[in-house]
Amino acid sequence: MLYMLGRLIEMARENMVKKWRRNERDGFYGRYGYSWDWCLVFKVHEASARLSREQRKNSVRCVVEKLTAAGLETKMCFTARLEEVAVKVRASEERLARQAALNKYRLQLDPVRLESKASMGKKVPGTKDEWVWRPLRIRDPKKICRYEPFEHAFAAYREREDEAGRDLWRRYGGASVFRGSDRIKLLKSAIETEQAQGGAALSIAKLKRAKCVVAAFPLHDHDELFELEQQWLRYWQLPNNQPFDTMAAYFGERLTLYFAWVAHYTTYLSYAAGAGFVAWVWSAAERSSNAVGVALFALFATVWSTSFEIAWARRQSQFAMRWGSKDLAKFEFERLEFVESGLGRVVPSPVTGRSMRWVPPHKRRSLCVRAYCVIVVLVAAVVALVAAQFVSKTYVYNYKKRRRWWRVSVPTLFGGITAAQISAMNFVYDKVARKLNDLENHRTQSEYDDALALKTVLFSFVNSYSTLVYIAFVKPFTDTPCVGGADDHDCIAELSAQLGSIFGFGLVVNNLQEIGKPAFQNYLALDRAAVVDEDEDNEYYVQLTSVEEQFLLQDYTIEETLFKDYVELMIQFGYATLFSAAFPLAPLLAMINNYVEIRVDAWKLCQQTKRAEPASAETIGTWQTIISALSLLAVQTNAMLVCFTGLFFENLAGVHRLALFLLFEHLVFFAKFVVHLVSSRVDPDVEMQLARAEFITSKVLLNVPDDPVDLDDAPDWEPNLTTVQPDLTVHLLDDNLEKEYHDTTRRLAMPSNPDRAAV
């Protein structure tokens, strides 16, 4: 597998040189440093073809006219077989700037220029000594914060009249203030913005659904892609050394966060892999799956999962600061499908008073109940398949039970069958879950994603773990003998063989499928498109343009492809944590699988798929909650494996095992609590840097006046160096009581002097 990966990366690096410098280098490119960013592909219809109303309304001509009216540049060209028309779209930097100002799009400020501007301050116009805000000179000699004061500052873009304001934004490649992903987001926004606000009023999703366009996708920028490939397409690269900032600039923050999470997960797996390998050697030395080292590794794995979860929360907050994606969740719009469906009715918002579409709770509940009834039926089908497998396995195992090689081979064979069944059922359910989720018609994209994740994860967990749960927690308490162990009661050995088969199947078959399937499909599509004429003896080929090649490549969508990748790794995380006491080598195999998958996905994204549409994100979303739930569940499962399933404490009575289970569980929960207590989910340096950036931008960009009681506004103070003798007299009474004291002393014939010299 690693040899094949090396050959793949070698071919990928050769191919990236061939595609270098394929951008169209016209006057536009010479001025702005980039070229075409979006492409809409229309089918060429016959004159007699019957078109829908939407297709006639959004013909190629109408669409191009709307795009031109919105200030966008277009260029049309036929494909090689004259079956489609590709419309390339781009926008000048001035047009992108207007859209950025309209969207209040957040861009990064140049730290050097920002510091220079902040050090000048802002005086009240027409005065010499009055300040709106005084010069900012932020120094951190004690290194309280590890970041420099003026780096990682972002602000909503504003079209300023003064040149000094325009020069504050960071420039990429020495020219543009917009990265590649920024251009694509803003260009799509300009296409979809209403005409009253200067846009083209064309919904790309609606054009696809009405079949007005065959495809709509962002185009690869081969200069930027070549730079990314040089840093990313490597055979050997530590997961956390990937060029995340370059990836975010090209593919967007949401996709890059996935790779950052996989890198963090793989790095942490290396620690668990080391501990697991030691436990495996310990087990092999004792020739038993129930060695003490395995139980200790189970304890380690449960605490490890908590440490991993907290460390990732801190790390993703650092990425949100570096990419300016903090607090993005506050700005979310209703899905187009929800608005067009007419579900619910328009009512005033109880928060803002503005109009909003409201769906009665009973309607939403009825849709959810219908969806989960279908899920229950599919879960029942999975349980039936699992039961059939175990009946078959028991029958086959008993056929030649006395032969050792037979006892070892049967669990491995049926483990492979289980892995194949898991893949097949997950493929079927993915289609069903999306259909059910579409019928529920959620209001926002985050609600849609969360509901889909919940449905998919529930079924996938049952599909993936039901066999393992039966072996681990049901079979030991039945009369059915365990398969593959030292005796009929050793279910840990059978569970270990099952997990090993699943991991081996995933490592080999899934990665071969990820490599072979897109490459084969792309080869067939490109070969067919290049043939423009053929007769009995010959086929006539033409050189396809870069745009047509990209049109024929496979799709990589955030909504589907990235979602499947997350589900796959969540299931793997469950294998590595929920059943770590049964298979200590699971973290090692997971680490190898993830390393290979990172390299394969890099190759696919750069050379085998259309450019993924950039999307912003602050966190990995609901997947973080799923990781937390699995981390807590791992405590229960590993405690049960050690105390009940394995033969670690076979000589103890049931009540003693229960007490041991409760002790183990509470100790682990206490350890996890201590880890949570001493660790923070938010990096304090990130919080400090965000507060710095907010303060600096409020002064430099918004000209927020200084606080009147600010120490900077106080006049300069110089110490009085004149020597003054102190008054050391201690008075018996204060001034307001002196008269009363004199009256009292006269009556009592006491001395009239109330003062005494101080010693």
Side-chain angles (χ1 to χ4, degrees):
M1 178 62 69
L2 294 177
Y3 172 76
M4 292 179 60
L5 178 64
R7 292 291 301 158
L8 176 70
I9 297 300
E10 183 180 341
M11 290 187 296
R13 292 188 70 85
E14 291 175 359
N15 192 43
M16 78 183 186
V17 177
K18 296 177 184 177
K19 294 187 174 183
W20 188 32
R21 301 294 185 190
R22 295 187 64 179
N23 284 343
E24 187 171 329
R25 301 181 179 279
D26 53 5
F28 184 97
Y29 180 88
R31 181 178 179 184
Y32 299 111
Y34 61 89
S35 190
W36 305 101
D37 284 322
W38 264 95
C39 182
L40 307 175
V41 182
F42 294 80
K43 184 175 179 58
V44 177
H45 297 282
E46 299 289 340
S48 58
R50 300 183 62 181
L51 304 178
S52 67
R53 180 175 175 273
E54 286 294 326
Q55 287 175 320
R56 292 193 302 272
K57 178 182 176 183
N58 294 296
S59 64
V60 180
R61 179 171 182 171
C62 294
V63 168
V64 170
E65 287 176 350
K66 290 181 179 180
L67 293 173
T68 305
L72 309 178
E73 294 187 25
T74 61
K75 183 177 181 179
M76 294 185 288
C77 56
F78 280 105
T79 57
R81 297 174 66 92
L82 305 180
E83 294 176 350
E84 297 91 13
V85 173
V87 180
K88 298 186 290 185
V89 189
R90 66 187 178 189
S92 65
E93 184 160 345
E94 294 79 12
R95 178 64 183 87
L96 292 175
R98 292 201 303 273
Q99 193 66 36
L102 178 65
N103 294 358
K104 297 181 179 179
Y105 193 84
R106 291 172 61 83
L107 293 176
Q108 188 172 6
L109 296 161
D110 185 272
V112 176
R113 296 191 182 101
L114 182 62
E115 183 174 9
S116 175
K117 178 72 173 177
S119 65
M120 296 168 58
K122 173 85 174 169
K123 290 187 177 181
V124 177
T127 64
K128 293 184 178 180
D129 300 325
E130 295 185 22
W131 296 89
V132 177
W133 52 273
R134 289 181 173 274
L136 302 179
R137 295 180 179 87
I138 303 175
R139 300 289 182 267
D140 186 13
K142 300 295 184 182
K143 295 297 179 184
I144 299 174
C145 179
R146 69 173 178 271
Y147 300 107
E148 293 299 322
F150 292 90
E151 65 180 349
H152 305 310
F154 288 79
Y157 186 80
R158 302 167 66 218
E159 287 189 290
R160 301 172 62 97
E161 296 180 357
D162 58 303
E163 290 295 330
R166 280 197 289 270
D167 287 343
L168 289 178
W169 307 106
R170 179 182 175 183
R171 295 190 174 274
Y172 301 90
S176 178
V177 300
F178 302 107
R179 306 171 301 169
S181 58
D182 297 328
R183 295 198 312 268
I184 290 173
K185 293 178 199 174
L186 292 170
L187 184 54
K188 183 182 179 182
S189 177
I191 294 172
E192 297 186 336
T193 299
E194 295 296 328
Q195 290 179 334
Q197 295 179 313
L202 294 168
S203 169
I204 292 178
K206 193 173 180 180
L207 290 176
K208 286 182 178 179
R209 194 165 57 250
K211 297 182 179 179
C212 300
V213 297
V214 180
F217 56 93
L219 291 169
H220 279 295
D221 184 306
H222 291 291
D223 290 347
E224 296 176 1
L225 181 60
F226 182 73
E227 179 185 352
L228 174 61
E229 287 176 325
Q230 285 183 311
Q231 302 175 43
W232 201 19
L233 292 183
R234 298 180 179 180
Y235 175 70
W236 175 248
Q237 185 180 56
L238 291 177
N240 276 333
N241 287 348
Q242 296 177 80
F244 295 121
D245 291 334
T246 308
M247 292 161 62
Y250 193 78
F251 287 118
E253 295 81 11
R254 188 171 180 183
L255 181 58
T256 308
L257 264 182
Y258 163 76
F259 281 97
W261 178 80
V262 177
H264 180 78
Y265 173 41
T266 306
T267 301
Y268 260 72
L269 277 173
S270 65
Y271 311 139
F277 184 75
V278 171
W280 178 77
V281 172
W282 192 332
S283 177
E286 294 188 7
R287 296 185 178 181
S288 172
S289 302
N290 300 276
V292 176
V294 175
L296 294 176
F297 173 68
L299 176 63
F300 168 83
T302 52
V303 179
W304 166 87
S305 62
T306 300
S307 176
F308 157 73
E309 173 200 350
I310 294 175
W312 168 248
R314 293 169 64 94
R315 187 159 174 77
Q316 75 178 353
S317 70
Q318 295 169 9
F319 285 122
M321 178 198 67
R322 281 163 52 179
W323 301 334
S325 55
K326 189 69 176 172
D327 297 330
L328 281 179
K330 296 179 181 178
F331 309 100
E332 194 166 15
F333 303 98
E334 293 181 342
R335 296 171 63 240
L336 178 66
E337 294 82 356
F338 176 78
V339 175
E340 293 182 345
S341 67
L343 183 67
R345 55 179 180 268
V346 178
V347 298
S349 168
V351 178
T352 64
R354 298 176 180 176
S355 297
M356 61 169 283
R357 190 171 293 277
W358 176 73
V359 180
H362 70 274
K363 238 182 216 187
R364 181 70 68 197
R365 280 195 297 269
S366 64
L367 292 171
C368 290
V369 168
R370 182 171 59 182
Y372 283 98
C373 285
V374 176
I375 294 175
V376 169
V377 173
L378 290 172
V379 166
V382 170
V383 172
L385 287 173
V386 170
Q389 277 190 46
F390 277 105
V391 171
S392 303
K393 184 174 14 177
T394 303
Y395 175 78
V396 174
Y397 179 77
N398 291 330
Y399 180 65
K400 292 184 179 181
K401 180 179 178 181
R402 295 182 180 179
R403 298 189 179 183
R404 177 173 174 77
W405 67 270
W406 186 260
R407 294 199 306 269
V408 174
S409 301
V410 169
T412 305
L413 172 64
F414 275 87
I417 294 174
T418 300
Q421 172 226 309
I422 290 171
S423 297
M425 290 299 293
N426 280 342
F427 175 79
V428 172
Y429 183 73
D430 180 69
K431 308 294 183 184
V432 176
R434 289 186 179 278
K435 186 65 177 175
L436 294 173
N437 216 50
D438 290 340
L439 292 175
E440 292 179 6
N441 200 8
H442 296 276
R443 188 174 68 88
T444 63
Q445 189 62 41
S446 62
E447 291 177 5
Y448 179 91
D449 293 341
D450 291 346
L452 181 60
L454 180 61
K455 291 182 181 66
T456 304
V457 166
L458 284 176
F459 177 81
S460 298
F461 281 10
V462 173
N463 186 36
S464 302
Y465 303 146
S466 55
T467 304
L468 304 176
V469 168
Y470 176 79
I471 295 173
F473 307 126
V474 178
K475 201 172 186 180
F477 304 101
T478 64
D479 295 332
T480 307
C482 296
V483 176
D487 56 48
D488 291 344
H489 302 289
D490 186 8
C491 290
I492 287 286
E494 181 180 354
L495 186 61
S496 177
Q498 191 86 358
L499 275 166
S501 300
I502 291 172
F503 266 103
F505 183 90
L507 180 61
V508 178
V509 177
N510 290 348
N511 281 303
L512 285 176
Q513 181 183 3
E514 288 200 15
I515 295 172
K517 183 179 177 181
F520 181 68
Q521 290 177 336
N522 289 336
Y523 172 78
L524 292 180
L526 293 170
D527 185 69
R528 176 187 173 276
V531 178
V532 294
D533 195 11
E534 56 186 325
D535 52 33
E536 295 180 357
D537 301 321
N538 299 306
E539 291 182 341
Y540 301 95
Y541 289 83
V542 296
Q543 177 66 42
L544 300 179
T545 64
S546 173
V547 172
E548 188 170 0
E549 283 183 0
Q550 295 179 54
F551 164 58
L552 296 170
L553 294 178
Q554 301 298 301
D555 291 317
Y556 189 101
T557 60
I558 299 294
E559 295 78 12
E560 293 187 20
T561 316
L562 184 62
F563 184 87
K564 291 178 183 177
D565 289 341
Y566 266 121
V567 172
E568 179 184 335
L569 286 177
M570 290 298 132
I571 299 299
Q572 184 203 89
F573 181 75
Y575 286 140
T577 55
L578 297 178
F579 306 99
S580 54
F583 191 52
L585 287 181
L588 177 62
L589 294 179
M591 182 184 69
I592 296 172
N593 177 81
N594 292 355
Y595 184 82
V596 173
E597 186 152 341
I598 288 172
R599 308 265 64 85
V600 171
D601 285 347
W603 166 72
K604 282 170 54 180
L605 280 166
C606 292
Q607 298 187 358
Q608 295 296 313
T609 64
K610 297 182 180 72
R611 184 174 183 174
E613 183 180 333
S616 300
E618 180 182 355
T619 66
I620 61 173
T622 191
W623 305 110
Q624 183 75 18
T625 306
I626 294 171
I627 293 171
S628 301
L630 286 173
S631 178
L632 290 174
L633 188 59
V635 178
Q636 313 286 334
T637 56
N638 282 288
M640 292 177 68
L641 285 171
V642 171
C643 298
F644 297 110
T645 306
L647 304 179
F648 302 97
F649 307 104
E650 59 179 334
N651 297 324
L652 294 181
V655 65
H656 295 154
R657 288 191 180 192
L658 178 61
L660 196 62
F661 165 77
L662 294 175
L663 177 63
F664 181 92
E665 178 195 49
H666 281 68
L667 282 175
V668 174
F669 274 129
F670 177 74
K672 291 170 78 72
F673 170 74
V674 171
V675 172
H676 272 284
L677 194 64
V678 300
S679 305
S680 172
R681 286 178 170 267
V682 180
D683 190 339
D685 287 339
V686 169
E687 288 187 327
M688 188 178 298
Q689 190 68 11
L690 290 172
R692 272 178 175 173
E694 183 180 0
F695 171 74
I696 293 169
T697 55
S698 70
K699 301 295 183 183
V700 176
L701 295 181
L702 304 179
N703 289 320
V704 175
D706 284 339
D707 192 334
V709 297
D710 197 323
L711 290 177
D712 288 342
D713 290 336
D716 293 337
W717 179 82
E718 296 182 359
N720 186 1
L721 301 180
T722 304
T723 302
V724 179
Q725 295 297 328
D727 181 7
L728 299 179
T729 303
V730 179
H731 298 273
L732 181 63
L733 299 173
D734 205 352
D735 293 341
N736 61 329
L737 296 177
E738 189 172 356
K739 182 177 182 301
E740 182 177 345
Y741 175 80
H742 282 292
D743 294 341
T744 305
T745 53
R746 277 196 299 270
R747 287 196 300 270
L748 297 177
M750 292 180 64
S752 59
N753 184 12
D755 296 340
R756 298 179 182 177
V759 178

